[in-house]
Amino acid sequence: MNRLEFLLVAKAGGHFYFSLPMSSRKTLYWNERSNTRFDMPRPTSQSRTDLVDNALIAFWNIGFHAISMGDLVRETGVSRGSIYSDFKGKRELFHACLARYQEVAVTPKFGQVEAHGARLSDIKQFLSDGIASQESFDGPMPGCLVVNTLAQLEPADEETKRYLEFHTNRLTKGFRAVFVRENALTGALNDQEITALAEFTTTSVLGLWSNSRKITDADEMRRYVDMLMSLISAKLGVECL
């Protein structure tokens, strides 16, 4: 499958250029209705992957509950009938986007934390990379798709909740593995305390990405990361990065 990179590769005149597959590359600009609109011609036909990639951007910027099927038709350039030929409706398409988000937005950055031998420096680099990506936007920072969705989640929507829990559990598991590795050097924490620290870190990171949508100064986010890493280092009894 084509890989969607969610890094801003150029910006000019308020337009955002995302590195999409060449068959579906779009130019985005802000407007009052949805904050993003494609203003370049769309291909007349797209693969299922291209549809999901473009729908992902639309969901990310507009929000699951706010977006309509008409919005998705406009933002993806795919007819309503073609969307329904692949998906039962908006919710099923959104779930495909959440799965795709893990592949194209989370793994390229968080993979360094999940790698064998990862250390605290890799967690800090993951956070720094995320801030740099957010900072690249010439306009409001989009935050994290999962965090944005958590704020809109309906209590009865158990299926969507499972996709979101996969993300938070993935973060906690990755952080915990690093903390176990660091703690082996000091023995400062027991297993329960390591788990609690990993859960605390996940909550802190989710809060960081949530606040990124209203923060205009990326240096404020970097100060938050420095404080978080200092707290983690102190708990583990290792040198602060």
Side-chain angles (χ1 to χ4, degrees), residues 130-229:
I131 293 172
S133 293
Q134 298 282 326
E135 189 179 22
S136 296
F137 288 83
D138 185 15
M141 298 181 188
C144 166
L145 176 63
V146 171
V147 175
N148 298 352
T149 305
L150 279 168
Q152 308 171 33
L153 185 65
E154 297 176 348
D157 191 352
E158 292 295 332
E159 188 173 2
T160 301
K161 184 180 179 181
R162 285 194 292 271
Y163 281 91
L164 305 182
E165 287 179 340
F166 174 85
H167 177 77
T168 56
N169 291 340
R170 179 181 181 180
L171 295 184
T172 300
K173 181 180 178 180
F175 293 142
R176 190 184 190 285
V178 172
F179 298 160
V180 167
R181 195 170 294 117
E182 296 285 358
N183 193 65
L185 302 175
T186 64
L189 303 177
N190 60 38
D191 285 347
Q192 185 175 1
E193 290 169 331
I194 292 173
T195 298
L197 182 60
E199 292 170 343
F200 166 79
T201 304
T202 295
T203 300
S204 299
V205 169
L206 295 178
L208 174 65
W209 300 142
S210 177
N211 283 334
S212 71
R213 303 189 72 192
K214 65 181 181 64
I215 294 175
T216 56
D217 181 7
D219 286 338
E220 181 179 343
M221 298 173 67
R222 293 188 177 93
R223 289 192 294 271
Y224 182 100
V225 169
D226 287 342
M227 178 60 68
L228 175 61
M229 297 307 301

Side-chain angles (χ1 to χ4, degrees), residues 75-104:
E75 301 290 350
T76 64
V78 177
S79 70
R80 188 182 299 260
S82 294
I83 293 176
Y84 279 113
S85 69
D86 283 321
F87 302 96
K88 294 178 181 178
K90 184 177 77 169
R91 186 177 302 276
E92 186 174 284
L93 174 56
F94 181 57
H95 291 164
C97 290
L98 288 173
R100 180 72 167 151
Y101 181 77
Q102 291 296 317
E103 178 184 353
V104 301

